Amino acid sequence: MKDQKSLDFITALETGDRDLMQRVPRADVHNHVALGGDFQSWNKKTGLDLKDGKHYFPDFTIFQDQVNTILTYPYKNPTKEQSWDRLFGLFAETYELAIADGISYIEPVYDSTFLDFFDMDLELMIKTIGDQIDYYKSWITIAPDIGIMRTYDIKDVERTIYPCIESGFFKALDLYADERIGPPENFTHIYKDAKKAGMKLKAHAGELLDADFVQRSVDILGLDEVQHGISAANSKEVMTFLAERQTRLNICPSSNIQLCQVKSYQTHPLRILLDNGVKASVNTDDAIIFGRKSSDEFFSLYET
């Protein structure tokens, strides 16, 4: 017998009741914290001339340009204090959107390069992030991940990621950016050390590359979860591998569609993956860019 929360979730989907959906506790475990807020709210504060959400990026580099515009904006200030306020303002936007949408648990990924923003003062970075997490703890449980850009020089990655791993503050490790650059083999030593530190292991794979890349990433990095992983649906063997290993895919449908990896919700491979026994969760990825909340994702999937 389903519990009341599950029944409410089903009722909300069947009736299209968005108010009820926002009262159902849900999780968002694939969320880039500086990119997870509401576009309209953030754009009004910044005055940046960025296109509204729900648009398409046929070229991944165009999407990356949009990401860079957002992430570098806080640094373009005359004082460190103003930069600080803007960066943590982006983080706050993420949490406020999640809370308003009924998210009760979130795993936001902070980039290891944020440590440079704090002049390599790890204690200060953790205290500042921790203070913000504490501020929101009455409304949402925040389990922070730490992430690395696979396109960066490995020595530069090591400089910022190892202090974060050793701190014990971050709960999981993630690897992201264009997966056609920076093969998983480059990061095996970092993942082994993160595993020894008791961290959960995630990485982006199968967003742009094929099913074999998903399996290769899981094998080489020892992944507990795959961010995206949608191309696994093209291989019965890889789906069987993921199902037997109980490796979950943290899928973001709007992201997949707007990055032109999937044509529509109707053709999204989530249904195929579930039917083949693959564990999956539904998440937002970058709400500021894609213009979609968690509840929007569930309603769109249900309706199609």
Side-chain angles (χ1 to χ4, degrees):
M1 186 173 180
K2 292 183 172 65
D3 62 34
Q4 189 58 50
K5 292 173 184 176
S6 296
L7 292 172
D8 287 345
F9 178 74
I10 293 168
T11 300
L13 288 174
E14 291 178 338
T15 62
D17 189 335
R18 290 182 176 269
D19 289 336
L20 177 58
M21 176 62 82
Q22 290 175 345
R23 296 197 298 273
V24 175
R26 284 167 283 116
D28 191 349
V29 297
H30 184 163
N31 182 299
H32 297 265
V33 64
L35 302 170
D38 177 69
F39 178 89
Q40 295 291 356
S41 172
W42 181 81
N43 204 41
K44 184 176 180 180
K45 291 176 183 177
T46 63
L48 286 181
D49 185 22
L50 293 178
K51 184 184 276 190
D52 201 347
K54 305 177 189 176
H55 52 287
Y56 297 90
F57 301 92
D59 186 332
F60 192 82
T61 59
I62 299 174
F63 164 72
Q64 196 62 58
D65 287 344
Q66 180 93 316
V67 170
N68 291 338
T69 298
I70 295 170
L71 293 183
T72 58
Y73 175 72
Y75 298 89
K76 297 176 179 177
N77 288 288
T79 69
K80 187 82 171 196
E81 289 74 19
Q82 287 175 317
S83 292
W84 191 300
D85 288 344
R86 284 183 174 177
L87 182 62
F88 278 84
L90 281 174
F91 300 164
E93 289 280 349
T94 294
Y95 297 136
E96 287 166 12
L97 180 68
I99 292 165
D101 194 43
I103 297 296
S104 58
Y105 176 83
I106 191 170
E107 294 180 1
V109 59
Y110 292 81
D111 195 278
S112 67
T113 60
F114 290 150
L115 187 53
D116 281 328
F117 183 79
F118 290 89
D119 299 321
M120 295 298 292
D121 187 336
L122 180 67
E123 185 177 342
L124 179 60
M125 183 177 84
I126 289 175
K127 182 184 184 308
T128 310
I129 293 174
D131 286 347
Q132 187 174 51
I133 288 173
D134 285 344
Y135 175 81
Y136 288 107
K137 67 182 180 182
S138 297
W139 302 282
I140 190 170
T141 298
I142 301 170
D145 297 350
I146 193 69
I148 50 182
M149 293 279 287
R150 67 196 319 147
T151 54
Y152 287 175
D153 179 81
I154 191 64
K155 294 298 182 185
D156 204 39
V157 167
E158 291 169 347
R159 179 179 59 82
T160 57
I161 195 60
Y162 271 113
C164 295
I165 289 173
E166 293 162 4
S167 73
F169 178 77
F170 299 98
K171 309 307 178 186
L173 176 65
D174 194 3
L175 175 67
Y176 41 77
D178 191 334
E179 62 196 53
R180 296 167 296 187
I181 304 169
E185 290 84 352
N186 290 1
F187 306 95
T188 52
H189 60 299
I190 296 174
Y191 271 73
K192 286 178 181 177
D193 290 335
K195 185 71 172 177
K196 289 178 184 176
M199 298 177 75
K200 181 165 63 174
L201 305 182
K202 305 177 180 180
H204 285 54
E207 179 184 22
L208 303 177
L209 294 181
D210 61 15
D212 288 342
F213 185 76
V214 175
Q215 182 166 345
R216 182 175 137 215
S217 297
V218 172
D219 272 334
I220 290 171
L221 300 176
L223 300 181
D224 300 301
E225 300 171 12
V226 178
Q227 308 291 64
H228 297 298
I230 56 171
S231 65
N234 297 322
S235 169
K236 180 69 175 178
E237 292 76 14
V238 174
M239 287 191 286
T240 299
F241 165 79
L242 294 171
E244 290 178 347
R245 199 178 179 278
Q246 295 289 286
T247 304
R248 191 178 74 206
L249 307 185
N250 297 326
I251 290 173
C252 308
S254 288
S255 173
N256 304 146
I257 294 166
Q258 293 184 46
L259 287 172
C260 301
Q261 302 305 304
V262 176
K263 287 185 178 179
S264 65
Y265 281 97
Q266 287 88 342
T267 61
H268 196 282
L270 176 59
R271 179 78 269 167
I272 296 171
L273 292 161
L274 293 174
D275 287 344
N276 280 273
V278 179
K279 286 187 173 184
S281 65
V282 175
N283 310 276
T284 61
D285 202 0
D286 307 316
I288 275 181
I289 295 176
F290 302 123
R292 304 282 286 177
K293 303 186 295 294
S294 167
S295 58
D296 296 326
E297 300 286 7
F298 281 110
F299 279 117
S300 294
L301 288 168
Y302 178 76
E303 289 162 4
T304 56

